[in-house]
Amino acid sequence: SGINAESEECVFNGKRYEIGDTWKPELCATCSCVEEREGQRKQICRMESCAAPAEGCELVYSKDSCCPKCQEQCEMYVGGETRIFQPGDEWQPDQCTFCSCILDDAEKKLQICAIMDCAALEDSCVPVYNPGECCPVCEGPPTCDLSPHIEHGSAVSKSGAGQDASYTFQCDQGYWFKKESQQTAFCNKLGETVYPECEKLSIKTRLVDLAPGKYLLEMSSSAGGGYGLLCDDGWSDREAALICQQHGYNFGRAVSLESDREDFLFTQLSCPRENDVLLQHCSVTRYSEAKLNCQYNEVAGLFCYNSAFEYRIKDNIGASWSKRAISLYFEVSGLKYGKPVDLKRGTFRLNPINFSVTTEKSTSNATKARIKYKDGVATVRMKLKKPQNFEDSDCITLKIRGPSNKYDYQTEVCNN
């Protein structure tokens, strides 16, 4: 809208204006001096019209402007939502960023953000970030306290010091290291202690017959898997005797064998207790964790026996009864401390006169005996006169006289 004022002169607040002059009597009004007719001047004033503001607009008035303007927003995505800030507000979108909302010289909102510059740390420093803080701090190398004890194990040696210290462990009797467990305790780069783990060990054994009294040893463990060979590293008579006793013999001796098998599963079997027939207090190492390889001639074997000297009958004794005679046939070997001896010659020579048969009614020696020798085994075929009043249902006792009476061998034979 506008207002008109006509006069011979254009005067406002005592000030004279010439034709063509304009002035603002107030912020929203503009006046001008025009010539209406010759010699007459006219003062015309108009009021400025303001547009309707947008919905939700925050109006801002300026001393240099008649109409208000919509204020620009300070806004930022913070904490999962878009937030509106007012001049003077300060906020921290993250630990290292600081923002504020201000008004510039033109009365416009201005959003300013600055990122904190962290000081450089020394190369030897381990950076540590504390909750709620932007920059890491240097706390120096982490401390780590190693113990020489673990559950079911203890340290046997130590090397290094401080953060570089380490212990080498062994498991207690009857335990061994878990699969994939290292044998040392140490401090990792984070200052955390790393220890080995021991678990209960259960050893199973079986004997593979190679010759009279001579066996190849196969072992299995509670960790699962099948049977395999034992490397002879650390293999001794003490362990051999326990395993032989486990299989029903009185004594045992360790021996190293040759084999074309390569299925080594264990090494360094150690059984410190003499009567530990169940091998409950033994220790053993997985072959996959051993430092040394075993060769074809380093397979653990053993001789098992019951006395210093003994005769060993292979399988059963064959027997047949005729009307006048008894025939026997069998294979026999002689073992001295578990090792085969020569039955063909020398002290342990097997002579037909060494054989006799006893019944409830009588005793008779062999009337005829034929002995063949091969690979330390004697194959005996003998015939004896049938004792008087002997019934076919009766049994006889075969006796083989040894180097001395205490080594005599006897067994009962019945007619099948």
Side-chain angles (χ1 to χ4, degrees):
S1 62
I3 56 175
N4 296 327
E6 297 183 8
S7 64
E8 294 181 355
E9 294 180 344
C10 294
V11 179
F12 183 79
N13 287 342
K15 184 178 179 179
R16 188 184 300 275
Y17 295 93
E18 300 297 330
I19 296 173
D21 291 340
T22 61
W23 65 95
K24 292 183 71 66
E26 57 185 63
L27 189 59
C28 293
T30 302
C31 297
S32 60
C33 184
V34 298
E35 184 178 17
E36 184 177 27
R37 290 186 296 273
E38 185 176 353
Q40 290 186 344
R41 300 175 181 180
K42 185 178 182 180
Q43 177 180 308
I44 300 175
C45 293
R46 298 182 181 276
M47 299 297 295
E48 185 173 344
S49 179
C50 297
E55 184 177 356
C57 173
E58 181 183 353
L59 298 178
V60 177
Y61 293 88
S62 171
K63 63 180 180 178
D64 298 327
S65 175
C66 170
C67 297
K69 296 181 179 179
C70 287
Q71 178 66 277
E72 294 182 4
Q73 301 293 338
C74 287
E75 63 181 26
M76 179 174 281
Y77 189 77
V78 179
E81 62 179 356
T82 301
R83 297 178 56 187
I84 305 298
F85 298 94
Q86 302 300 326
D89 288 346
E90 294 182 349
W91 68 96
Q92 195 173 348
D94 57 56
Q95 294 177 355
C96 296
T97 306
F98 298 86
C99 297
S100 62
C101 184
I102 64 173
L103 290 176
D104 62 8
D105 294 338
E107 297 296 323
K108 292 183 178 181
K109 285 184 180 179
L110 184 62
Q111 181 174 297
I112 299 176
C113 293
I115 298 177
M116 182 179 292
D117 187 13
C118 297
L121 301 178
E122 297 180 0
D123 294 339
S124 61
C125 175
V126 177
V128 176
Y129 290 86
N130 294 320
E133 296 184 6
C134 171
C135 296
V137 294
C138 179
E139 294 189 353
T143 57
C144 176
D145 295 325
L146 283 177
S147 170
H149 304 284
I150 59 173
E151 188 176 11
H152 308 305
S154 58
V156 294
S157 65
K158 180 183 179 181
S159 62
Q163 183 70 14
D164 298 324
S166 66
Y167 284 103
T168 300
F169 281 83
Q170 69 177 12
C171 293
D172 295 339
Q173 295 176 10
Y175 291 83
W176 67 342
F177 291 109
K178 285 186 177 181
K179 198 170 184 179
E180 310 300 335
S181 173
Q182 77 286 344
Q183 298 182 17
T184 58
F186 59 93
C187 299
N188 62 19
K189 293 181 179 180
L190 299 178
E192 301 168 333
T193 54
V194 180
Y195 287 99
E197 295 181 82
C198 297
E199 65 179 354
K200 186 65 179 174
L201 171 64
S202 176
I203 299 174
K204 300 177 182 178
T205 65
R206 66 186 183 189
L207 305 180
V208 179
D209 195 354
L210 300 179
K214 184 178 181 180
Y215 302 96
L216 179 146
L217 174 62
E218 291 185 330
M219 288 179 50
S220 179
S221 77
S222 54
Y227 283 84
L229 301 179
L230 171 70
C231 178
D232 68 356
D233 289 348
W235 179 231
S236 72
D237 289 343
R238 181 175 60 248
E239 289 75 31
L242 290 173
I243 293 173
C244 287
Q245 291 169 26
Q246 190 181 63
H247 290 271
Y249 297 97
N250 294 332
F251 309 101
R253 295 180 61 187
V255 62
S256 295
L257 304 175
E258 294 184 3
S259 175
D260 56 1
R261 290 173 54 176
E262 297 180 350
D263 56 329
F264 286 102
L265 292 184
F266 308 97
T267 185
Q268 298 173 336
L269 175 66
S270 176
C271 302
R273 301 191 182 186
E274 292 184 359
N275 297 321
D276 187 17
V277 177
L278 299 179
L279 311 181
Q280 292 180 326
H281 302 280
C282 299
S283 62
V284 71
T285 301
R286 293 179 179 85
Y287 183 72
S288 60
E289 299 170 359
K291 297 180 179 179
L292 298 175
N293 293 328
C294 258
Q295 306 302 318
Y296 73 97
N297 59 348
E298 296 178 317
V299 179
L302 57 170
F303 290 107
C304 294
Y305 56 99
N306 293 311
S307 61
F309 176 83
E310 62 181 313
Y311 287 112
R312 186 78 60 83
I313 300 293
K314 184 179 180 181
D315 301 327
N316 297 321
I317 297 177
S320 63
W321 281 202
S322 66
K323 187 174 182 180
R324 296 183 178 181
I326 296 175
S327 297
L328 303 176
Y329 42 93
F330 54 88
E331 293 182 347
V332 60
S333 57
L335 304 177
K336 181 181 180 181
Y337 298 112
K339 293 185 178 181
V341 296
D342 187 0
L343 296 179
K344 189 175 182 180
R345 58 184 67 83
T347 305
F348 304 101
R349 179 175 177 268
L350 195 62
N351 194 305
I353 63 174
N354 296 123
F355 299 103
S356 63
V357 170
T358 302
T359 69
E360 293 181 355
K361 302 179 178 67
S362 64
T363 298
S364 61
N365 294 324
T367 56
K368 184 178 180 182
R370 184 174 61 184
I371 305 174
K372 291 184 178 181
Y373 303 92
K374 184 178 180 181
D375 298 330
V377 179
T379 302
V380 179
R381 292 183 177 274
M382 57 182 293
K383 183 176 287 189
L384 305 99
K385 185 177 179 180
K386 198 172 185 181
Q388 241 180 357
N389 302 320
F390 185 80
E391 301 292 336
D392 287 350
S393 59
D394 293 342
C395 293
I396 61 174
T397 299
L398 169 66
K399 181 177 180 180
I400 306 175
R401 191 165 65 246
S404 64
N405 292 339
K406 66 179 180 179
Y407 298 130
D408 289 351
Y409 173 87
Q410 62 182 31
T411 184
E412 186 177 69
V413 182
C414 298
N415 183 19
N416 296 323

